[in-house]
Amino acid sequence: MTLNLPSTQLAVQWYPPSYDVRAEQVPVPTIEHPDDAIIKIKLAGLCGSDLHVYRGHEDVEETHICGHEFVGEVVTLGASFQSASPASRPTAYSTLKVGDKVVSPFTTSCGECQFCRLGFTARCVHSELLGTSTLPGAQAQFIRIPHAGGTLLPISPGSPLEALPDQALLLLADILPTGHFVALQALTHPKLSPIFNGKPWPHGAGAVFGPVLEIQDAPAPLTDEDRILCIAVVGLGPVGLCATLALLDLLVSAGIRFRVIAVDPNDARRKKMQEVYDSLPPDARGAQDSQFVVADIEESKAVVNGWGRKGCHAVLEVVGNPAALTLSLDLLAPSGVISSCGVHQAPPLPFTGRTMYNYNVSLEFGRCSVRAVLGAAAGLLLRRRDAFEGLVERVLPLSHAPEAYARFEKGEWGKVAFDPWA
Amino acid sequence: MTLNLPSTQLAVQWYPPSYDVRAEQVPVPTIEHPDDAIIKIKLAGLCGSDLHVYRGHEDVEETHICGHEFVGEVVTLGASFQSASPASRPTAYSTLKVGDKVVSPFTTSCGECQFCRLGFTARCVHSELLGTSTLPGAQAQFIRIPHAGGTLLPISPGSPLEALPDQALLLLADILPTGHFVALQALTHPKLSPIFNGKPWPHGAGAVFGPVLEIQDAPAPLTDEDRILCIAVVGLGPVGLCATLALLDLLVSAGIRFRVIAVDPNDARRKKMQEVYDSLPPDARGAQDSQFVVADIEESKAVVNGWGRKGCHAVLEVVGNPAALTLSLDLLAPSGVISSCGVHQAPPLPFTGRTMYNYNVSLEFGRCSVRAVLGAAAGLLLRRRDAFEGLVERVLPLSHAPEAYARFEKGEWGKVAFDPWA
């Protein structure tokens, strides 16, 4: 169950304390546990969250191989992978073969612990983040994936995903599922349920508690205006762009009228967002009276103010710093939801308890459980394939990593991918 | 539409800067707007959140009448109340009569703005908190209620609530709905949906988005153990006790197996919680393998640790200070929900962005929309009437307010009510 691999490979390594990445020769990984797989990388991504380590913000001290996004091909499988693998284990242990094409979530997940069964694969008890000192990353020619039967998504022959180019599949490793997650986390929040089902909170929110929620007096019925969802996306980097496309797709699918505002201080990002929106087929832009606005920070406050309801029902925070959280709160109406997928660092949350109480704020934080939303994200990718085209702006050899990191960090370049064999 | 009222009344007034309340003569309120009602108070409550002003923590400087819980009787109605009142207005404008018995949420709500229609009556655009410098409170003989047609709940002749004593009805003003709210806010969170519907997140969470959430691979099915809800209640004052009873009622109604731990450092509060639980009928204590534990802070960590899943699915925070939030996080598993109804003050939240991200924490804050959950809370009160009996420990004349505030603040006394006519 293995191909002959070289003993060394080219990889991008990060060096402490900050702003120092180098493409250099390192050992090729080997199987360390029967559940491991070794993957030959075909394409690896450079992601906004790689920048936290790059900038020295993650309290990391060890040199390690960077990167957590890849598309690749199985070259070695551990002993757990065999057709006689127990039926109780994730399917891939009995089906995955050397030569199969795979994509991987940016964190490993066993598929066998309670957190995985509940759908919280990002918090799998065995979860490891690719591209750290404990699990060398994907900006390399080969990578070892632990718990590979639970982690990897095979692109099976006959799957509609087989027709997608690697640059599109690469988006499934992190940014597209993360964008889908941050949108879904807001839209499934019970405070938004009145917009979807027309029943005032909490009467439409708690289906399983229906019999308990007898009401003694009918509130005034919701108006048409009440059922227009007002929502902001803060941050239009690659994940923010994915989040906006996922949000629009979910709303259009559910037939919800909306006012969506996509906010970023960076001119180039706003321009790209508008272009991508304009490229959507008309039926993917929402009902005729829905609105989509791209704005900078100051404009965003004026636009939301003009909507006349003290702010948005929900804000998607796709940046990961205190300023973005503060802007999110500025754009939020009382009883609203901030859904955050930003990789926040050491600073405390910029909110007082009194503000949280006085505005009835809901805050949703954390890492996307990619494995759990991979199917939904893949569906979105297939439906909106054209919109995601061009999201990867440059494909470069690993040797260009120092320049790519520096320019991506300064916002001069958009999303970069590396071809480790170029 | 009025009775002859005296020109002065006895009321409890708060004086700055702190720890100073006085029972004294003040003017009787009069109608100021056609939507107002004047209510003769039959019973007024002393609530834990009165203590924030009492202690001088609310940045209030003006002397004012305290109190936001009451049961009373309509003595004067503004001109909006008439049988010919427009059908578009809340029902009470055309049905409420002088002499009717009423309870009131602790905040007013018009019933006519978008926030009210959505069910977020605590964030009504006209909402005012009773017992502040702008709206004199209920620890008095009379009170003026603005937007009374949207705010007040009439105890109509023939309503099952008519049979309840005033001490029970008083709980509907704040603490019982607030307890119900903090429990419901956790239980309706989509992260808990796998426990209720057996489908991993997000597949059971987003009903309206169903068609989008196609999955490509079936995760391992949830086990029986996975579907036992683990939940902590932090703080067993009167609201915490109500929250625990509401939680148990909701779980039993929905047939959910549970492990509930109710936590407080105060011996007397723990003893009372245990007594109230023991007094419940067997079918209200949950399925045979459900657990209910009362614990102090240190014990709580050990008990939750013994449950073997890194913490609870959700924690109800019913205190309102940073220490309670910190304990809530200590007791929470990754991908969990903290539902808070504590009246938090000026300190920042004691959480870093990194912790929120790394543990995928959901935080739900804010004031209960009493008017929206009043029906559900009333149903709970009727079902569990015996359990709530004795929650008001003392009924005293208003002249005893200084001692009552002092002892309640020190935790020496449990819930106190005032009879303004004693």
Side-chain angles (χ1 to χ4, degrees), chain A residues 357-375:
Chain A
Y357 179 85
N358 283 346
Y359 291 88
N360 277 62
V361 182
S362 297
L363 298 167
E364 303 284 328
F365 285 95
R367 177 174 288 167
C368 173
S369 285
V370 172
R371 199 64 185 76
V373 299
L374 209 40

Side-chain angles (χ1 to χ4, degrees), chain B residues 31 176 323-324 360 421:
Chain B
I31 298 288
L176 180 50
N360 278 59
W421 305 95

Side-chain angles (χ1 to χ4, degrees), chain A residues 51-338:
Chain A
L51 298 177
H52 294 298
V53 171
Y54 180 64
R55 291 171 178 146
H57 291 175
E58 280 280 16
D59 296 340
V60 178
E61 308 215 334
E62 297 83 10
T63 293
H64 61 268
I65 302 176
C66 308
H68 55 254
E69 300 176 340
F70 73 88
V71 179
E73 188 183 303
V74 177
V75 290
T76 314
L77 288 168
S80 299
F81 292 82
Q82 41 189 325
S83 53
S85 181
S88 62
R89 303 211 70 196
T91 323
Y93 286 113
S94 41
T95 59
L96 198 64
K97 300 278 178 288
V98 167
D100 283 354
K101 187 169 186 174
V102 292
V103 293
S104 174
F106 68 99
T107 53
T108 62
S109 51
C110 70
E112 302 178 276
C113 71
Q114 191 185 81
F115 292 91
C116 283
R117 289 192 298 271
L118 290 170
F120 306 126
T121 55
R123 298 301 161 211
C124 167
V125 298
H126 301 294
S127 183
E128 286 187 277
L129 175 61
L130 278 60
T132 58
S133 54
T134 51
L135 184 56
Q139 292 166 9
Q141 293 176 311
F142 297 94
I143 187 170
R144 179 183 67 89
I145 298 296
H147 300 283
T151 302
L152 297 172
L153 178 74
I155 311 292
S156 329
S159 156
L161 294 175
E162 214 186 0
L164 293 176
D166 290 348
Q167 290 186 32
L169 292 173
L170 187 66
L171 306 180
L172 291 177
D174 180 349
I175 69 171
L176 180 50
T178 296
H180 189 272
F181 158 79
V182 73
L184 196 66
Q185 193 163 244
L187 296 183
T188 57
H189 195 285
K191 283 182 179 171
L192 270 57
S193 70
I195 293 169
F196 298 110
N197 61 33
K199 298 178 191 171
W201 182 93
H203 303 293
V208 292
F209 307 109
V212 176
L213 296 173
E214 293 293 329
I215 49 172
Q216 296 192 316
D217 55 331
L222 276 74
T223 66
D224 283 353
E225 170 75 17
D226 294 345
R227 299 191 63 185
I228 300 176
L229 180 68
C230 299
I231 193 159
V233 183
V234 169
L236 301 178
V239 181
L241 206 144
C242 288
T244 308
L245 288 171
L247 174 67
L248 293 172
D249 184 67
L250 288 162
L251 293 176
V252 168
S253 302
I256 303 301
R257 291 179 305 148
F258 57 79
R259 295 179 185 135
V260 169
I261 184 160
V263 188
D264 201 292
N266 180 305
D267 292 344
R269 287 179 164 187
R270 287 201 309 279
K271 185 159 172 285
K272 179 151 194 169
M273 180 75 252
Q274 187 67 56
E275 284 169 4
V276 168
Y277 178 78
D278 293 341
S279 78
L280 290 174
D283 65 352
R285 294 184 218 162
Q288 214 161 16
D289 55 353
S290 288
Q291 282 180 36
F292 179 77
V293 184
V294 179
D296 68 21
I297 292 174
E298 281 316 306
E299 288 163 357
S300 73
K301 295 176 186 174
V303 169
V304 170
N305 199 36
W307 290 346
R309 62 174 313 279
K310 294 186 175 189
C312 295
H313 297 91
V315 179
L316 313 186
E317 187 276 304
V318 199
V319 180
N321 63 35
L325 286 172
T326 301
L327 175 61
S328 298
L329 189 62
D330 285 348
L331 297 176
L332 194 72
S335 292
V337 179
I338 294 176

Side-chain angles (χ1 to χ4, degrees), chain B residues 181-203:
Chain B
F181 159 79
V182 73
L184 196 65
Q185 194 164 240
L187 296 183
T188 56
H189 196 284
K191 282 182 179 170
L192 270 58
S193 69
I195 294 169
F196 297 110
N197 61 32
K199 297 178 192 171
W201 181 93
H203 303 292

